[in-house]
Structures are given as C-alpha cells and as structure tokens.
Amino acid sequence: MPASRPIWKGQLRLSLVSIAVELYTATKANAKPSFRQIHEPSGKPIRYEKVVDGIGPVDTDDIMKGFEYEKGDYVLLTDEEIDAVKLETKKTLELTQFVGACEIDPLYYDKPYYMVPADDLAEDAFIVIRDALRQSERVGLGQLALRGKEYLVAIRPAGKGLLLETLHYEDELRKADPYFADIPAKKADADLLDVATALIDKKTDKFDAGIFKDHYQSALRELIARKLKSKGKRISTREEPQESRPEGSNVVDLMAALKSSLEGDGKSPAKKPAARSAPRKKAG
C-alpha cells in the first residue's frame, strides 16, 4: 500500500457485488514551487484574519456557513447540519451506467484518482471488475460524495488498478458557441490540408508524457537555487527577446512553412514527437 493516506474509503458496487476500495490522489501537490507573501521589512509571513465590517477580527467558533437566498439575506447552516445530510454516495459508489471508452468529451474530465482494493478479501472481485472493463472497452459511471460535494465520476482500468476521474456536470461547462461564433464557417484549402495532414502523420508517435517538461517550473527552481546560493542577494533576470511575428500572411507562406516542416526543417519543442490522443466523441 502507498505511504499516503486514502482520501476516501467505501464500497464500489456493481449490481449485487460490493467491493471494499480506497481512493488516493493521483497528482502531487508539491510538484510545483509554492510561495508565501512576506512582509519585506520584517521578513515575516503575512497572515489573513477573518474580519467583519465595523467589528474587526472574529473568533472562528462564531463563523457559520450562509446561503444567500436573496440579495443580502442569508439562511445559516452549522457544520453539523451539513454533515448530517444523508447521501448514500458518501460511502458507496455504484456503477449505474457504462459507455464506450472514447465517448466522453475530454472537456468533462476534471481530476484523477487511483482506486485500489481495501484488503485481500476485495482483490478477486476488484480484478474481475477491472478486467471486465478492459475487455469490454467500457468506462463505468457513477456518483461519489467527496469533500462536501457529490461528483459525477468515471472509472476505467489503469495498469493493475482502476483510475477514477471526476467529471464536470453539464451545467458547470460554458457553451462553446459564443467563443467560436466569429470563426468563418468554411473548409480549409485542399492543398494546404493535404500538407498539414502529412506533417501530422510525420510527427505522430505513441504518447509519452515523460518527454515533455514544465520549463517554467524548472526556470523557477533555478532562480530559487541562485537566490539561495547568493544568500538572498537580489539578482537581475533579463527577459529573452520575443520573436517578431510577421503582420502579413497568405496561402503561399503557409504552404511553404508546412512543406518546410514536413521536409524536416521545422523544430520540435520536445526531444521526441508524441502523438495526440484520438479525440473522444462527445457524449450524446
């Protein structure tokens, strides 16, 4: 079992089968440098106090959650009242529907978690569910109450375990039409399309996330290391000059650029090209 503590323990249910499982965060919170605001004259961290207009700082015990049902009017709820809300999904994740592995639009995906069997007794049933999902090429859908919210979730095989991904509800997503409205409704030039497609084919490969690095975070860590080495002295960081972008462009220029890239003149930002995953069809 991993060293970290599970963020959720409960039952994964498929019809009459219930499996004891645990959920772990799949992403690392400490992967990027984090910063605190510092009061420079004293060198002390800045703290934030909870204050009320006309009163000042208040005690944490005097704070309640308020829902604004009308402008300026609130109904107050205690933590105990909120915790008492009974949801079966707090302890049980039931797989209520299955869809094709590529049917969910990537726009819906939010955050990944690893799911593992909670004990030896749960392993056999867990493996059956995992392998059935893999063989059928399906994703299981259900709902899970976690950290004060009920999430729509998708479960798929991942190596020897399962990957649970929280999904956005439909009403949480903005419609694309207002953003795409000004894009002309026309087809690409056929010759340009052929060359661009050939370039994509040339750069297609199996996806390997390891070849892509977060250059910004690396530069931040290098800056921090230099500051530590100089014992906190200020250093000057010069910005690299931005490449100028030509104001005019035409089909001939675009074709030349595409052909040049296809012939191997174009530079790739990564050591090795990685294929883009095949786009998933939007769920109907």
Side-chain angles (χ1 to χ4, degrees):
M1 281 296 173
S4 59
R5 298 178 60 182
I7 64 164
W8 182 82
K9 292 183 178 182
Q11 299 290 317
L12 175 64
R13 180 187 298 167
L14 174 58
S15 190
L16 300 178
V17 179
S18 291
I19 309 166
V21 294
E22 297 177 346
L23 211 57
Y24 295 84
T25 303
T27 55
K28 294 187 292 185
N30 62 347
K32 299 178 180 179
S34 59
F35 296 96
R36 287 282 305 271
Q37 290 188 320
I38 304 296
H39 180 240
E40 186 178 9
S42 66
K44 295 181 179 179
I46 294 176
R47 300 179 182 274
Y48 294 92
E49 292 184 306
K50 297 182 184 295
V51 297
V52 176
D53 290 342
I55 297 177
V58 296
D59 193 286
T60 304
D61 294 337
D62 294 332
I63 299 175
M64 297 180 67
K65 290 183 171 67
F67 174 77
E68 189 174 21
Y69 61 92
E70 288 184 6
K71 187 66 175 178
D73 292 327
Y74 299 84
V75 58
L76 300 181
L77 299 171
T78 65
D79 290 337
E80 290 75 17
E81 289 173 323
I82 295 174
D83 290 340
V85 173
K86 299 297 182 183
L87 283 178
E88 186 179 2
T89 51
K90 281 187 175 182
K91 293 296 183 182
T92 302
L93 167 55
E94 182 169 5
L95 299 178
T96 58
Q97 184 183 356
F98 296 88
V99 300
C102 296
E103 287 186 22
I104 304 175
D105 192 309
L107 187 64
Y108 284 90
Y109 286 101
D110 182 25
K111 190 173 181 181
Y113 297 86
Y114 294 133
M115 179 176 283
V116 301
D119 50 44
D120 294 344
L121 295 176
E123 286 181 355
D124 287 344
F126 181 92
I127 290 172
V128 170
I129 298 299
R130 180 201 66 194
D131 290 353
L133 288 171
R134 180 173 283 129
Q135 182 170 310
S136 63
E137 297 184 347
R138 297 290 190 270
V139 174
L141 299 179
Q143 289 178 282
L144 173 66
L146 186 67
R147 295 171 176 170
K149 179 180 178 181
E150 187 174 53
Y151 291 91
L152 173 63
V153 302
I155 292 179
R156 67 181 70 233
K160 294 194 297 182
L162 291 172
L163 181 69
L164 179 147
E165 295 172 277
T166 56
L167 304 176
H168 295 290
Y169 288 101
E170 187 174 21
D171 59 4
E172 293 178 331
L173 299 175
R174 292 175 174 170
K175 300 295 183 183
D177 294 347
Y179 301 96
F180 298 161
D182 294 336
I183 300 175
K186 65 179 182 180
K187 299 289 186 179
D189 177 87
D191 292 335
L192 289 171
L193 183 60
D194 288 342
V195 180
T197 302
L199 176 59
I200 290 173
D201 289 341
K202 180 180 179 181
K203 290 181 173 288
T204 296
D205 201 348
K206 291 183 178 180
F207 176 68
D208 179 7
I211 66 176
F212 296 96
K213 305 300 180 184
D214 188 335
H215 301 103
Y216 179 72
Q217 298 303 326
S218 297
L220 270 183
R221 292 188 183 279
E222 289 176 6
L223 172 62
I224 292 169
R226 291 199 304 271
K227 292 286 285 187
L228 289 172
K229 189 174 181 180
S230 64
K231 297 181 179 180
K233 294 179 181 179
R234 297 180 181 272
I235 61 174
S236 174
T237 56
R238 298 181 181 180
E239 294 184 0
E240 293 294 328
Q242 300 268 334
E243 290 186 8
S244 59
R245 183 177 180 180
E247 296 183 2
S249 182
N250 52 46
V251 171
V252 176
D253 294 334
L254 179 56
M255 178 65 83
L258 288 171
K259 284 186 174 180
S260 178
S261 297
L262 187 59
E263 291 166 2
D265 295 336
K267 301 297 183 181
S268 172
K271 296 178 181 177
K272 172 184 174 185
R276 295 182 61 184
S277 300
R280 299 183 178 98
K281 298 179 181 177
K282 190 169 184 178

